[in-house]
Every structure is written in C-alpha cells, then in structure tokens.
Amino acid sequence: MHTGEPRRIGPYEVLGCLGVGGQGTVYLARGEAGRVAIKVIHAQGAADPRARRRFADEVAIASRVPRAYTAMIIDADIDRDQPYIVSEYVAGPSLQKLVDTHGPLSGSVLERLATYTATALAAIHGVGVIHRDLKPANVIVGPDGPRVVDFGVARALEATSVLTTTVGTPSYLAPEQVGGPESEVGAPADVHAWAGTVYFAATGRVPFAGSNVAVIINRVLTETPDVRVIPQPLRSLIADCLAKDPARRPTAMELLGRLVGHPSETPQATVPHAGILPVTLGTLKEITTLGSGPAADIVIHGQGVAPAHATVRRVSAGYRLHDHSGGLGTYIDGRPVLYATLRPGERFALGPVVLRLTGTGELERVRFGRPPGARWWLLLLLVAVLVTVLIVLVRG
C-alpha cells in the first residue's frame, strides 16, 4: 500500500493500485468472493445527478454481458462521491505491457488473441453494450486466455455533463468518434478499435501515431495503417475493419465468423445471442452460478417491452439483490433500488410480483388473500334490491 491509497472501498479491502487512467483508478482488492478489481471513477466524472442515473443504467446493462472472454462486472456503488465498479480480477499483464516487454505476437498466439477478443466483442454487443475504449491496455492476458475489461464504462462516463473531451484513446478511435458531435458512434467503432488492437499485437506499433492529439486525429480521419506486414487471413480482415465508413466494416458476429472460417449470410447463427434466463423462483443452491457465487436469476415478464430482471446472490451479510433493469424494476418499500442487502423474511417487489426471502434461502412468491368472490356481492346486492322493492310495494 502507498501513502494516500484507501484501505477499504465499501466492503472491499484494498490490496494495492493496479493503474491510473483518465476515467479513474483501478485497485486490487479482496472481498467475500476473493480478489477483485475495483475501478473508482474520478469525482468530476459523476458530479451531475442525472449523469449518475445514466451511469447506473449503463452499468446495469453491462453487468448482463456473459463470461465470454470478458471480466464480468459483479458489483457497483453509484451513491458515493466517487462511484466504483467491481469486476473479476484477471491475473496477468495487459496486452499493451506484454507486447512492450516481449515484442509482437505471431502465428497461433496472434490468431487466438484475435479470435478471443472478437468473441468478447460479440458477447458485449449481444446485450446492447458498446465498449468505446477497446485498446491493448483493456485486454488482459490471463492464464486462461485474453479477457476484455472496462466494457460499458466509457459509455457511462461519456454521458456526464462535465466531460468535454472524447472518451477513448486517440490512437484507437474510429473516424466517427472524432468527426464532431453530429457523428453517430455505435458498434462499428468497437470493430475499428478491435482492428487497431490486433494491429498493435501483430506489429508492436499503434495504428495511428503522432506527436500530439491533433496529429493523431488527422491521421485517424485521413490515413490507413500499412497492414502488409500482417499475414493472411488477418490482413484482409483488419483492413476491412479499419474502413473509414462504418457501414463498410463487418459486424462483430461477421468478424467472428470469418475468424473461425464460417462466414455466413446470417452471422448471428455463429454464436448464440446472449439471452436472459427464464424466471426461476427456488433454492439458490439449485440456480446457475453467476459472478462469484450461487445466485437466483429472476425475470418477470409483465407489461411492456422490457421485463423486470434481478439477481439475488448469497453473501456473508445475507443476500445481495442486484437489479438489472437500471433500478426501475425492483422496489423495496415502494422505492426503486439498484443494489440492496436482503435478510430472511424481507420482501421486495419485482415488476408486478412480490417476493419474500425465506429463512432457508428460498425465494417465494407472496400471494395475498383473495377477497370474497364478486358474485356473492352481486347476489347480496340483488337480494337487498328485491327486499326494498317488496317493502315499497307493500307500503304503497
């Protein structure tokens, strides 16, 4: 620990600093699930209350990204002066550090890196998340292969009113990201950044270099990196992904299909689309493991397009409730929540359904007593009317 570093961040014990960037500081910490990475966002990046709400929405969506060569988001706290995001800790160097230390990658190692990162990108895009800051520093080469980190964070921070610069690293930005406020930035920008990242891995050079940001941006808009030193089939694929026109770039699914040798007119069939698990109400031990421990994944399909979706995970203090509907689908005592700690006996509302956590760690639906049948009320009313009519006739 260095002087000035926090000893704890929320319930997590800080073990050391992993790095400092333009968006925040990343710490290695220890929690109930073991070692985790915590990104503490700079205070100026979340000063606007409206930005905090958008930030929460983005993090909630990003937390649904499946574990397909990504570091999964497992916790967050947006109510602090400096919000933080907790994700899986991947032991290993970044691609940036690996190439700087040992030189460019080649052969099967390079091909696996390209395929794994493209798979991560397909998974991220599959739930509607745009990374916006994919680069070698955000690819961690762990013992089980490369992992993409920080997805969804740049998009969330871009929504804050105090940020006036383009979110992302200039050398890996797509032309539309530096083309002015009217430019539409979407998934094709991530594909462009993927190509720049693999280009760096294969050559050890950034795709667009320059002595200052203005020079770099000019090259992003007007120049194309020389890909002739990269072997086929990666060469053609990287060249297509670096197209200036976003419409000419392949999608992440098309990219993955070409990497694994199965191009298709329906690339969506290459990798299953990430979907929400069906509604499950039962013992937590019987539920699919999500994040760092057993969790119940609950989806209530009520009225409207988007279902209410939340998970309940076992933790030492009780059970951790995480709303995946951006804090708009789960309520406790009539108030919307994004995160909460539940204890046995407590209730929460998920969409139109009220659930209770039992003492044995089960989720049960609360069924309120049914009122007397309407037909009995109608019958009594009819009898009362008939009696009234008879009294009037007799007295009349």
Side-chain angles (χ1 to χ4, degrees):
M1 294 286 293
H2 298 288
T3 304
E5 290 183 1
R7 292 184 177 275
R8 297 191 68 84
I9 299 175
Y12 302 94
E13 177 190 2
V14 176
L15 303 178
C17 180
L18 294 174
V20 181
Q23 300 170 356
T25 303
V26 182
Y27 296 98
L28 174 63
R30 181 186 294 114
E32 296 166 348
R35 294 194 298 176
V36 296
I38 303 181
K39 184 158 194 171
V40 180
I41 308 305
H42 292 322
Q44 67 269 24
D48 185 346
R50 293 172 300 176
R52 283 180 176 270
R53 182 72 271 156
R54 290 192 293 268
F55 182 83
D57 293 344
E58 292 292 343
V59 172
I61 295 172
S63 66
R64 290 165 48 188
V65 175
R67 273 193 208 179
Y69 307 109
T70 64
M72 191 174 190
I73 294 176
I74 57 178
D75 196 4
D77 190 339
I78 64 166
D79 296 325
R80 297 162 53 95
D81 291 338
Q82 290 182 265
Y84 65 76
I85 302 171
V86 183
S87 62
E88 294 178 283
Y89 170 66
V90 183
S94 68
L95 177 62
Q96 179 76 50
K97 185 175 181 180
L98 183 68
V99 173
D100 286 345
T101 303
H102 300 286
L105 309 182
S106 61
S108 60
V109 176
L110 177 63
E111 292 172 3
R112 279 194 294 270
L113 172 83
T115 303
Y116 289 178
T117 49
T119 303
L121 202 57
I124 292 168
H125 290 177
V127 294
V129 174
I130 302 172
H131 194 297
R132 298 193 179 213
D133 196 22
L134 181 61
K135 57 186 178 182
N138 280 338
V139 177
I140 306 299
V141 184
D144 57 349
R147 300 276 199 100
V148 172
V149 301
D150 265 4
F151 50 85
V153 177
R155 172 67 180 273
L157 295 179
E158 192 178 59
T160 62
S161 59
V162 296
L163 289 181
T164 57
T165 57
T166 301
V167 175
T169 303
S171 294
Y172 295 91
L173 293 178
E176 62 269 25
Q177 288 178 283
V178 297
E182 301 300 321
S183 300
E184 183 177 350
V185 178
D190 282 350
V191 173
H192 187 281
W194 172 89
T197 298
V198 178
Y199 176 88
F200 170 80
T203 65
R205 301 193 299 269
V206 297
F208 301 98
S211 57
N212 56 61
V213 174
V215 172
I216 294 173
I217 289 177
N218 180 66
R219 289 178 175 171
V220 168
L221 293 172
T222 61
E223 298 182 8
T224 301
D226 184 3
V227 298
R228 290 176 295 179
V229 295
I230 301 175
Q232 292 286 21
L234 274 179
R235 182 196 311 159
S236 298
L237 189 52
I238 290 175
D240 290 346
C241 293
L242 289 173
K244 300 299 181 186
D245 182 359
R248 293 180 52 201
R249 300 174 204 147
T251 66
M253 287 297 190
E254 291 169 337
L255 169 62
L256 185 56
R258 289 172 61 177
L259 282 167
V260 299
H262 296 289
S264 170
E265 294 182 359
T266 57
Q268 289 76 8
T270 304
V271 172
H273 188 278
I276 300 175
L277 298 178
V279 58
T280 304
L281 302 177
T283 306
L284 300 188
K285 293 180 181 178
E286 299 174 357
I287 309 305
T288 303
T289 297
L290 299 177
S292 58
D297 195 64
I298 314 159
V299 181
I300 305 297
H301 294 276
Q303 296 180 350
V305 177
H309 179 205
T311 57
V312 177
R313 176 177 291 106
R314 189 189 303 276
V315 296
S316 63
Y319 294 86
R320 183 70 163 170
L321 172 67
H322 180 186
D323 175 83
H324 297 284
S325 309
L328 302 176
T330 306
Y331 294 80
I332 296 179
D333 296 330
R335 299 176 60 185
V337 298
L338 182 62
Y339 295 96
T341 299
L342 297 174
R343 291 174 177 81
E346 292 185 336
R347 298 180 178 185
F348 63 96
L350 184 62
V353 177
V354 177
L355 302 173
R356 187 177 78 90
L357 183 68
T358 70
T360 57
E362 294 183 344
L363 288 169
E364 64 179 15
R365 183 168 181 170
V366 177
R367 299 183 182 277
F368 298 98
R370 298 178 62 183
R375 58 184 180 181
W376 289 106
W377 286 105
L378 290 174
L379 182 60
L380 289 174
L381 180 62
L382 179 60
V383 170
V385 171
L386 289 174
V387 171
T388 302
V389 171
L390 287 174
I391 291 174
V392 171
L393 289 175
V394 170
R395 292 182 176 180

